[in-house]
Structure formats: structure tokens, C-alpha cells
Amino acid sequence: MKTALVTGASRGIGRASALRLAKEGYRVAVHYSQDAAAAREVVEQAGNGAFAVQATLGAPGAVEFLAEQVRQAAPTLDVLVNNAGIATGKSLSEETPGGFDQVFAVNVRDLFFLTQRLLPLIPDGGRIINITSGVTRIAFPGSIAYAMTKGAVQVFTLALAKELGPRGITVNNVAPGIIDTDMNAGWLRGNPDMQAYAAGRHAVGRIGQVDDIAGVVAFAASPDAAFITGTTLDATGGGNL
């Protein structure tokens, strides 16, 4: 049985992606930061020998701790989904050095070094999938540091795809639009005006659901995507077309 690691898999897009990959037959490593109960629930729903791994990305030693848990549980890692991330929601004038450093630590630095440490486990023909965002092609000054982190990940994806191509390992981005997740709940849920605004940003005329993104992740992990690498699978529902 093939193994997949999904970071930030206790909720939102990560949870949906973990469950979808389990449905496709993968044994899923469900990474979480704080909510052990939520991670256990995902593990139970996933079945297929799924297991939870804990690490607070952005904290010292988190990458090494997480990578070691995966190494102990799985001799090979066929799919790595770098989904975990945080947002600051601040403009240039509002952002602080601490907030800037933290969002880059989680979204860029630890993604980079986790991939580095897990790469020896990824066999030829494996998959690396990075969750980025539609903000890499849409001006988003209201959360400028967050948008910058996703741009950095896109550059990482491009370079890594070139490096790993000879081994048949594909590296792609999946870029969601506005998705109904806990991260967006504060401004989206229970606010009809904001829901209408968000839906209106998408050509398809609705807010995205986590399963919309999980399906794209599953495709990127599948044999059908073997000839796609170094690119972004735009899952924004036609955001800002």
C-alpha cells in the first residue's frame, strides 16, 4: 500500500485531501499541530492504516520531529502534500517583523526543509503537491506577506520539478480560490454580504468547498498526472477572470 503525508490534515483542505487520498487507497499520515482529537477523527474516518503525526511547524525542531515520525512509520513516502500554512491578513503598513517571520517560517522555511528531509523516502514516480493560492496571480495587498510566501513556494516548485524530473517525481502546485474553511470562517460564515462578495469573485459564481480542492490534489497524485510537473493547477473557480 502506498503512503501519503498531508500536513495540516486535521481540518479544512488538508482534512479533505487526506480523506480523499485514503479513498483512493493510500495509507495516510495525518499531520496536525494542536488538535489531537480532530486528527484522531480523520485517522478513524480514513482507515487503511492511517496514522497521526504531530508537530508545530514554525517552532524550533518541528521539521526534524515530524520527519522522524514519518520515517519510523513508513519506509517509503509516495505522496507528500505540503498543505499546512498560516495567514496574517495584514497590509504592508500593518505587518510586523514578528508576523512576517512567522508566516514565512511556517509557509516557506519549514515546507522547504520538510521536503528536503523527506525526499530520501520518496521513490521514483512519487508526487510532491504544494498548496499555494490564487493570490499568486491576483494582487492581494490586504495580506501581502502571506501572498509573498505562496509566491516563494511556486518558485520552489518550479526548481524542484526540474531537479526531480529525471526520477519521474512530479512537483506541482494546487492553488485554491476562496474556500469555506475554518481559516476563512471569521469573515465568511454567517455574513451574507461577504459570502456574496466571495462568490462573485469566482467565475463559477460560488464559494469553493474543501472537496473541490481535494479532488484536484487526488488528481495530481494519480498516474493520470504523470506528465504534469512544475506547474500550478488553478482551482480558484475562475477567480478574478
Side-chain angles (χ1 to χ4, degrees), residues 7-34:
T7 64
S10 64
R11 64 177 188 168
I13 290 170
R15 179 182 186 276
S17 297
L19 293 175
R20 177 60 184 269
L21 289 172
K23 186 177 180 181
E24 299 294 329
Y26 287 91
R27 178 190 183 217
V28 181
V30 177
H31 162 258
Y32 71 99
S33 175
Q34 304 295 333

Side-chain angles (χ1 to χ4, degrees), residues 11-82:
R11 64 177 188 168
I13 290 170
R15 179 182 186 276
S17 297
L19 293 175
R20 177 60 184 269
L21 289 172
K23 186 177 180 181
E24 299 294 329
Y26 287 91
R27 178 190 183 217
V28 181
V30 177
H31 162 258
Y32 71 99
S33 175
Q34 304 295 333
D35 197 339
R40 283 195 300 270
E41 182 179 309
V42 177
V43 166
E44 291 170 2
Q45 290 187 31
N48 287 349
F51 59 97
V53 286
Q54 189 278 332
T56 303
L57 296 178
V63 165
E64 295 80 1
F65 182 55
L66 176 53
E68 184 57 29
Q69 290 176 77
V70 175
R71 276 194 294 265
Q72 290 181 7
T76 60
L77 182 65
D78 301 277
V79 177
L80 168 60
V81 182
N82 285 311

Side-chain angles (χ1 to χ4, degrees), residues 14 26 34 55-56 84 87 113 121 128 143 147-148 170 175 179 196-197 200 205 233:
Y26 287 91
Q34 304 295 333
T56 303
F113 287 107
L121 301 182
I128 299 173
S143 190
M148 289 170 66
T170 65
I179 310 299
Y197 163 78
L233 301 175

Side-chain angles (χ1 to χ4, degrees), residues 126-223:
R127 301 282 187 267
I128 299 173
I129 302 163
N130 299 319
I131 306 301
T132 56
S133 172
V135 301
T136 57
R137 66 168 179 80
I138 299 167
F140 198 56
S143 190
I144 189 168
Y146 168 77
M148 289 170 66
T149 67
K150 297 303 184 179
V153 172
Q154 285 208 170
V155 173
F156 172 68
T157 294
L158 188 64
L160 194 60
K162 178 70 171 178
E163 178 180 343
L164 301 181
R167 292 182 52 197
I169 298 174
T170 65
V171 189
N172 289 295
N173 305 306
V174 172
I178 301 172
I179 310 299
D180 184 7
T181 65
D182 290 344
M183 183 179 289
N184 290 325
W187 66 274
L188 189 60
R189 293 177 184 169
N191 189 328
D193 290 339
M194 285 293 97
Q195 290 172 5
Y197 163 78
R201 294 285 293 268
H202 297 159
V204 298
R206 66 174 176 86
I207 298 166
Q209 301 299 313
V210 292
D211 287 340
D212 293 322
I213 309 306
V216 181
V217 170
F219 167 71
S222 75

Side-chain angles (χ1 to χ4, degrees), residues 86-97 99-101 103-104 107-108 133 135-136 138-152:
I86 60 173
T88 60
K90 293 182 178 180
S91 66
L92 175 64
S93 61
E94 297 168 330
E95 190 57 85
T96 64
F100 183 95
D101 289 347
V103 75
F104 267 85
N107 295 6
V108 181
S133 172
V135 301
T136 57
I138 299 167
F140 198 56
S143 190
I144 189 168
Y146 168 77
M148 289 170 66
T149 67
K150 297 303 184 179

